[in-house]
Amino acid sequence: MSARYDGLAEWYDEYIGASAGDGIADVARLLGPGDGLCLDLGCGTGLYLDAIRSTGRTPVGLDRSADQLGRARRRDGAPLLQGDAAALPFPDATFATVTAIWVSTDIPGFPAVLREAARVLRPGGLLLFYGVHPCFNGPHIEPREDGAVVIHPTYRTTGWHRRSPWWREGGVRDRLGMSHVPLADLLNAFVGAGLAVERAEEPGERPVPMVLALRARRP
């Protein structure tokens, strides 16, 4: 079974890479100094591997798409594996840190991913979620030119959305669709995985935040 991003790695890297700078800096800041192995779930083309390394950690990337991993290998020398984030090929308590960067929108069944992430974390280990703000970024959101957003009643329509009339034509979501996890479901997924959220942020300068970041620990 081919991965959703197969065949799009070159286009994706050019499309996303130019705008990734702020996110890369945010991820390094939110992680803070650390050491040990860090699993980057859904590492894609490897845009965040060097940011993880800059904190003192040793990154290990995992993605379903062989094409994305091929691009990542040309960018970075980190160990990279092809695999399913909801069925990780690692023993319990392998990693000191796990990052889940821009993956909640691409993986149906995100709670299962968090449960697996918690399983492979060491006790006291850190999980960083950095991705779509479910209240203000998704298939239910219609952006306006003045920076405001219109929130449509489909906010509560969970799961996979193949189309939204407000997605930019030819963009990532227009091409691939999107999984929507409302805020309560996202937070409850952390609770269900046994993770304790220690900090929440809404990074960026936009008056209406598009990004949500959560730092959590495995007790």
Side-chain angles (χ1 to χ4, degrees):
M1 178 178 175
S2 64
R4 191 172 289 111
Y5 278 82
D6 280 353
L8 296 174
E10 301 292 331
W11 168 82
Y12 174 86
D13 208 42
E14 293 177 7
Y15 184 85
I16 295 295
S19 62
D22 289 344
I24 290 170
D26 282 337
V27 165
R29 176 183 59 81
L30 288 160
L31 280 172
D35 55 23
L37 294 177
C38 174
L39 175 63
D40 186 18
L41 290 175
C43 66
T45 61
L47 286 169
Y48 294 89
L49 295 172
D50 196 51
I52 293 168
R53 187 180 294 108
S54 74
T55 69
R57 297 169 171 87
T58 301
V60 176
L62 180 136
D63 204 278
R64 279 289 295 271
S65 170
D67 286 357
Q68 297 279 95
L69 289 172
R71 184 80 170 182
R73 288 189 180 97
R74 296 200 296 273
R75 165 174 281 121
D76 195 281
L80 301 171
L81 296 89
Q82 186 175 12
D84 183 352
L88 293 173
F90 305 108
D92 296 356
T94 299
F95 296 94
T97 310
V98 174
T99 56
I101 305 170
W102 298 115
V103 296
S104 63
T105 50
D106 290 313
I107 304 175
F110 190 61
V113 173
L114 283 184
R115 289 193 297 271
E116 275 291 272
R119 179 183 67 78
V120 301
L121 267 177
R122 295 176 181 171
L126 170 67
L127 183 141
L128 175 64
F129 170 91
Y130 185 94
V132 164
H133 196 309
C135 297
F136 308 117
N137 189 354
H140 57 293
I141 292 298
E142 179 182 358
R144 295 193 337 195
E145 291 184 2
D146 63 357
V149 297
V150 177
I151 302 174
H152 289 269
T154 48
Y155 170 75
R156 293 188 182 277
T157 305
T158 62
W160 196 259
H161 293 250
R162 187 65 192 89
R163 287 279 182 263
S164 172
W166 308 289
W167 284 339
R168 182 186 310 169
E169 185 175 354
V172 174
R173 295 304 152 210
D174 184 56
R175 288 188 176 211
L176 296 170
M178 175 182 183
S179 180
H180 174 55
V181 184
L183 181 61
D185 291 352
L186 179 66
L187 295 175
N188 286 331
F190 278 79
V191 175
L195 295 165
V197 175
E198 65 179 21
R199 183 169 179 81
E201 289 193 17
E202 296 169 319
E205 301 299 324
R206 291 173 178 261
V208 179
M210 305 296 284
V211 179
L212 178 66
L214 300 169
R215 280 175 53 104
R217 297 275 179 187
R218 176 184 170 183

